[in-house]
Amino acid sequence: MIDQSRNSGLKGLNRRTALKGLAASAGLMAAPGFVRYSQAQSSAPIKIGFQAHRTGIGAAYGRWYEKTTAAALKLINEAGGINGRPVEIITEDDGTDPKRGAEVVGKFASQHKTDIVFGTLFSHVVIGSAPTAGELKMPYYVVSEGHHVASTKMNRYCFQPGITDVKSQVISMAPWIAGNVGKKITMIYPDFAFGHDHRDYFTPAIKAQGGEVIAQIPIPPTESSFTRYFPQIPAETEVIYHVMVGPAVLTFVKELGEFYGTNRPQLFGFIDSLEAVDMASPGLEFLEGSHFWEGMPRYLQPDASEAVKFYRDAVGIDENGAAVGDPKDVSTASHMFGCWETLYVIKQAMEAAGYQGPDDRAKLVEATEALTEFKEGKEHPQGDKIFNGKIHQCFGHQNISIVEGGKLKVVHRTSIEDGLYEPEGDYTTQPL
Amino acid sequence: MSFGPHLLLATLEGLVTSAVLALTALGLSLVFGVMRVVNVAHGEFFMLGAVLAWWIASLATGHPAIGFLLALGVSPLIVGAIALVAERLVLRRLDYNPEATIVATIGMLYIIQQLALTFYGPEARPVEAPFSYRILFPWFGYSGYKLSVIAFSAIMLLATLFVLTRTKIGLVMRATQYDSETAQAFGIPVGRVYAGVFALGAMLAAIAAVLIVPIQQAHYLMGLDPLLLSFIVVIIGGLGSLRGTVVAAVLIGLSDGIISVFFSPTLAKIIATMIVAMVLVFRPQGLFGTAAR
C-alpha cells in the first residue's frame, strides 16, 4: 500500500501530508506579525463583541442595551471612530445564562475575532463569563452593577467603568434612607449574586447609620408568585427594601399591594424592580409616595442638563423614558446609560493606548487602569465619575426618586464621596 | 403574623396552585389515559394559552373583563386547533408508538417554544384581571381574582368529569381507553377520538393558563413548571386516573402552598419529588391507578 502511493506521482500527496501542509500554512497565518494583517489594520474596523441579553429573564434590558449601544456607536463612527478606524459591534445573545455567556465570550475570541468584549448586565452572567475572558486574555467591559468586578474576585481583564457597583450605591443611600424613610428594615432580594451584594453591603451600611435590617427574605430568581413570602415580613417593619429582577417584578408589586393595601410600611425599592415597566400599569398605584433608587432618572427632570437631553434624543426616549412613538415600550433608563458611557471609556482608553489590534490588548488594559476621572458631558451624561484603576470600578452619583402622580421625581442626588469605600484588592498586581 | 392567619394564607395560596394544576394535569392525564401518549409538549400548550391570551386581550379595548373573557373563550380554541393539527400531522403518522411520540412531543416542545419566542418575543407581559377586588381579612388582604380562579377551575373540573362519566362522548372515550381494538370493532372512530382527546387535553392546559396570566404574566419559558408539576401529579395520582389526578393536584398544590409559606419553596419541591419517588417505589401504578393488565 505504502509503496503504491509513493510510486504514483501526484497521488503521493496523501491525506496526512495534505493536513500537515494545511496546518503549517494556518500556523503561519496566525503567527504574530504576519504581513497581511499589519497592512490591513489601519483601516479595518475595531470589532467589539457585544454580549447581550436578547432572551431569558434579562431580555428587556438587552433590548435597550442594544438601542443605547447603537446610538453611541453611530455618534462615535460619525466623529471618526477610534484611532481613525471605524467601530463595528458584533452582537451575540447570552440568553441571560452564565454558561451561555462564557460560550459567547469564547465565540467572540475564536470565531468573530473581536478586539474586546462589552456589554452584559446580569451579575451571574458576568461571573460565569469572566474566567473565560481572563483565560483568553480578552478585555471584558461589563455594564452590570454587581460588586463582582470591584471585589477584585474576577481577573485583570474585567472592567466596570461606566456604572457604579451595588456596594457603592447602597453605602451612598443608606444615610438618606435611615434619615428620611425609616430605620427598621426588611430586605426582599433575588437569591443570586446581585441580590447577595445588596444583602451583604446594605446590612452593615444601614447599621452604621443607627438602623437595622430586621429580616432578610431571599427569593429564587425564577419565582413567579410572591404572596407566600409576605408573612415573613415582621410586623414592626418600618421600611420594605425591595430589589427584584426578571419577568415577575410586576406581579411582585401587585401582590404586595393586594397584601398590604394602603396600610403598608414605607417602601424603598431599587428601580431594578420596575425597569422597563410602565408606571401606569394596573396595580402600581400602590407605589404612590414610595421611593426608588435610580442610576439615571427615567423621567426627564426639570433641571436636566443639555448633555442629558442630547443623550435621550440620540437613544430615542421621550419625557417619560419610553421609546419615542411607543409609550408602552418603557426603557431601562437607570442602567442603559452605562453602555453609552462605557463605549466612550473604551474609546478614551484605546486612544490613550494607541490601540491597533489584538496584540495591544495588554496595553489597552494598562491604559484603562490609568484612567482616573470622567467629566460630565455628552460622553458621560449621567454625571462626572472617578475611576479606580486598582479595582477597575468607577464611582458616580446616585438618584433617589419619589413616585408622585405616577411618575418618578428625583428628590436627592448623592455625591461621589458618599459612595466611596476602601478597595478590597488590586488587579494591577496580577500579571497580564 | 400569628399561626392561624399564616395558615389561612398558605391554604389560599395552595388552593390557587391546586386549582390551576388540577386542570393542567387533567389534560395530561386524559391524553395518557386514552391515547397512551406521554405528551412532553403539554407545558408548551399551557404557555401558548397564556401568550395567546395576552394577544387576544391586547386587541380588546374598554373594560379589562372584556379582553379577559374574550381570551378565556378564544385562546383555548386556538390551542385546541393547533393540538389537533399536531396530532394529525405527527402523532397519527407515528401510529401512537409510545417511544416515538415521546421524542416527537419533545420536538413539538422546542418548535412551539421557539415560535413563541420569534413571534411574541422574550418579554413577560401581563393581562389585566377582569376585576380587581381586594378581599380584606383582618390580618392581610387577598386578591379576589385569585379566589375566583379556584371557583372557576372547580367548575371546569366538574364539567369535564361530567362529560367523561355521564355523556356519550365520555362513554366513547372510556371505551377507547379500555380497549381501542374492540372499540374500533364496535364502530367507534378511534382515530377521531384520539384527535379530540389530544385537543381537549391541550385546551384544558390553555384554560388553566388563561386563568393564571392575570396573576403571573405570559412568558415564553413559562411551560416548564406546569409540565413538571403535572407529571408529578399524574404519577402520584396514577396515570390515566382522573380522580387520582384531582386528588393529587390538591395534595401537591396544598403542600406546595403550606410548605412554601412556612419553610421554603425549594423544600416544597424537594418534598413533592420525594413523594413521587415513594409512590414509584411502593405503589408504581399511583395512588388511584389500577395495575396494568
Side-chain angles (χ1 to χ4, degrees):
Chain A
M1 285 289 279
I2 298 171
D3 284 341
Q4 241 177 5
S5 68
R6 267 186 195 155
N7 297 335
S8 56
L10 267 180
K11 283 181 191 162
L13 188 70
N14 62 19
R15 197 170 53 188
R16 186 171 293 171
T17 326
L19 282 176
K20 270 185 193 164
L22 271 177
S25 45
L28 191 66
M29 297 275 282
F34 185 65
V35 180
R36 184 188 61 84
Y37 197 82
S38 57
Q39 278 175 341
Q41 73 189 7
S42 58
S43 58
I46 287 177
K47 289 202 232 174
I48 299 183
F50 182 20
Q51 196 188 23
H53 303 321
R54 274 191 175 154
T55 53
I57 61 172
Y61 284 100
R63 188 156 42 86
W64 281 96
Y65 268 39
E66 286 200 51
K67 282 191 193 189
T68 311
T69 300
L73 178 75
K74 184 163 170 279
L75 288 168
I76 289 174
N77 277 332
E78 279 171 4
I82 297 177
N83 286 333
R85 291 167 59 188
V87 182
E88 185 189 340
I89 299 268
I90 299 161
T91 311
E92 286 276 350
D93 179 17
D94 64 24
T96 325
D97 174 54
K99 182 169 167 286
R100 177 87 191 113
E103 287 166 4
V104 163
V105 172
K107 197 172 174 188
F108 282 134
S110 59
Q111 187 181 331
H112 298 301
K113 309 224 180 298
T114 61
D115 292 273
I116 59 167
V117 176
F118 152 85
T120 224
L121 168 83
F122 272 62
S123 48
H124 61 328
V125 181
V126 174
I127 291 168
S129 309
T132 308
E135 283 160 21
L136 297 170
K137 298 189 182 297
M138 172 67 86
Y140 181 48
Y141 293 82
V142 299
V143 188
S144 179
E145 57 176 336
H147 180 57
H148 34 269
V149 174
S151 69
T152 60
K153 293 204 177 87
M154 304 284 99
N155 56 67
R156 200 168 172 188
Y157 285 85
C158 303
F159 292 92
Q160 186 157 267
I163 187 165
T164 45
D165 67 314
V166 168
K167 186 173 179 181
S168 171
Q169 291 164 356
V170 300
I171 289 174
S172 67
M173 282 177 299
W176 193 88
I177 295 173
N180 297 279
V181 193
K183 285 191 161 69
K184 285 191 173 166
I185 297 169
T186 293
M187 299 182 75
I188 301 180
Y189 54 92
D191 198 5
F192 70 102
F194 163 78
H196 296 164
D197 281 349
H198 280 270
R199 174 195 68 193
D200 295 344
Y201 301 113
F202 182 73
T203 307
I206 201 73
K207 200 168 181 192
Q209 301 299 325
E212 190 191 355
V213 172
I214 55 173
Q216 293 175 328
I217 305 175
I219 296 186
T222 51
E223 192 63 279
S224 53
S225 179
F226 304 93
T227 304
R228 56 181 63 165
Y229 295 92
F230 297 150
Q232 296 176 39
I233 302 170
E236 65 271 27
T237 299
E238 291 172 7
V239 186
I240 294 176
Y241 176 102
H242 60 99
V243 203
M244 295 303 300
V245 288
V249 292
L250 196 58
T251 311
F252 171 76
V253 175
K254 274 159 72 174
E255 292 189 347
L256 205 57
E258 281 158 2
F259 188 80
Y260 277 111
T262 49
N263 186 24
R264 61 161 163 82
Q266 292 290 313
L267 295 176
F268 186 90
F270 261 62
I271 195 70
D272 308 60
S273 297
L274 284 173
E275 279 278 72
V277 174
D278 191 348
M279 295 300 287
S281 300
L284 297 192
E285 315 80 41
F286 167 74
L287 291 174
E288 192 70 14
S290 73
H291 292 93
F292 280 96
W293 163 83
E294 289 191 283
M296 190 160 185
R298 175 188 301 183
Y299 292 86
L300 186 67
Q301 303 296 310
D303 57 349
S305 67
E306 284 309 309
V308 168
K309 288 176 188 161
F310 174 80
Y311 156 83
R312 294 176 73 105
D313 288 345
V315 176
I317 57 173
D318 63 14
E319 288 187 359
N320 296 325
V324 172
D326 184 3
K328 287 213 174 298
D329 187 6
V330 176
S331 71
T332 56
S334 187
H335 296 82
M336 67 195 197
F337 71 89
C339 291
W340 175 289
E341 298 207 1
T342 304
L343 275 180
Y344 276 107
V345 172
I346 292 170
K347 176 176 152 71
Q348 191 181 342
M350 280 187 167
E351 286 173 354
Y355 183 86
Q356 289 301 325
D359 292 344
D360 296 335
R361 280 180 185 147
K363 271 178 16 189
L364 175 63
V365 167
E366 286 170 339
T368 313
E369 284 168 348
L371 299 171
T372 53
E373 60 176 332
F374 310 123
K375 289 209 162 44
E376 184 170 9
K378 284 182 180 174
E379 297 178 353
H380 297 282
Q382 193 257 356
D384 54 331
K385 292 180 183 61
I386 60 170
F387 184 74
N388 186 332
K390 288 183 176 168
I391 58 174
H392 292 189
Q393 177 65 52
C394 76
F395 295 86
H397 302 273
Q398 314 303 329
N399 303 290
I400 295 172
S401 303
I402 187 167
V403 183
E404 220 174 65
K407 294 187 173 188
L408 287 155
K409 184 180 143 198
V410 176
V411 292
H412 179 68
R413 186 168 164 86
T414 67
S415 73
I416 294 180
E417 291 69 32
D418 292 341
L420 290 180
Y421 53 80
E422 280 300 310
E424 291 158 34
D426 185 355
Y427 280 122
T428 60
T429 57
Q430 293 179 8
L432 275 165
Chain B
M1 202 182 279
S2 58
F3 182 76
H6 210 140
L7 186 65
L8 174 65
L9 181 85
T11 311
L12 289 175
E13 283 289 289
L15 281 176
V16 175
T17 312
S18 303
V20 177
L21 189 55
L23 275 181
T24 318
L26 188 61
L28 190 71
S29 181
L30 206 59
V31 169
F32 181 81
V34 176
M35 304 168 70
R36 301 278 136 182
V37 165
V38 177
N39 180 17
V40 185
H42 195 63
E44 302 316 305
F45 288 130
F46 180 91
M47 178 272 288
L48 262 187
V51 163
L52 287 169
W54 173 83
W55 179 63
I56 294 162
S58 69
L59 294 179
T61 50
H63 195 275
I66 300 170
F68 178 80
L69 290 175
L70 203 63
L72 192 59
V74 179
S75 169
L77 287 180
I78 301 178
V79 173
I82 293 170
L84 201 66
V85 172
E87 200 273 345
R88 295 280 91 169
L89 287 182
V90 183
L91 299 186
R92 187 166 66 153
R93 279 162 207 274
L94 298 174
D95 216 11
Y96 309 105
N97 174 305
E99 287 89 12
T101 50
I102 290 183
V103 179
T105 51
I106 291 176
M108 274 154 64
L109 180 159
Y110 284 115
I111 292 171
I112 295 173
Q113 198 176 79
Q114 292 306 306
L115 284 177
L117 175 62
T118 308
F119 292 103
Y120 168 82
E123 284 89 17
R125 298 187 174 114
V127 168
E128 207 169 326
F131 58 92
S132 56
Y133 181 71
R134 183 170 167 261
I135 295 172
L136 195 60
F137 294 103
W139 319 275
F140 58 85
Y142 201 74
S143 159
Y145 174 72
K146 278 190 181 175
L147 290 184
S148 76
V149 167
I150 301 173
F152 187 80
S153 172
I155 294 169
M156 285 306 300
L157 284 174
L158 289 175
T160 314
L161 290 180
F162 177 80
V163 168
L164 288 177
T165 53
R166 296 276 184 275
T167 66
K168 189 157 178 229
I169 302 170
L171 187 66
V172 167
M173 275 164 61
R174 279 181 290 142
T176 315
Q177 173 171 1
Y178 286 130
D179 190 338
S180 62
E181 279 178 23
T182 314
Q184 181 111 40
F186 275 86
I188 291 175
V190 170
R192 267 161 59 199
V193 173
Y194 278 3
V197 165
F198 197 70
L200 180 63
M203 284 167 74
L204 284 171
I207 293 171
V210 178
L211 293 177
I212 208 88
V213 210
I215 304 174
Q216 278 189 4
Q217 309 186 49
H219 188 238
Y220 81 106
L221 292 176
M222 72 192 293
L224 187 63
D225 265 7
L227 177 71
L228 288 181
L229 280 174
S230 298
F231 268 114
I232 288 177
V233 163
V234 291
I235 290 172
I236 293 175
L239 275 164
S241 157
L242 302 181
R243 188 168 52 125
T245 303
V246 174
V247 172
V250 173
L251 182 76
I252 289 297
L254 271 182
S255 85
D256 186 73
I258 293 171
I259 296 167
S260 312
V261 168
F262 283 100
F263 301 98
S264 91
T266 317
L267 184 67
K269 298 279 182 299
I270 294 172
I271 289 178
T273 320
M274 291 273 288
I275 298 176
V276 169
M278 291 297 119
V279 166
L280 285 176
V281 170
F282 294 107
R283 208 179 146 77
Q285 70 272 36
L287 296 181
F288 293 86
T290 44
R293 281 160 294 164

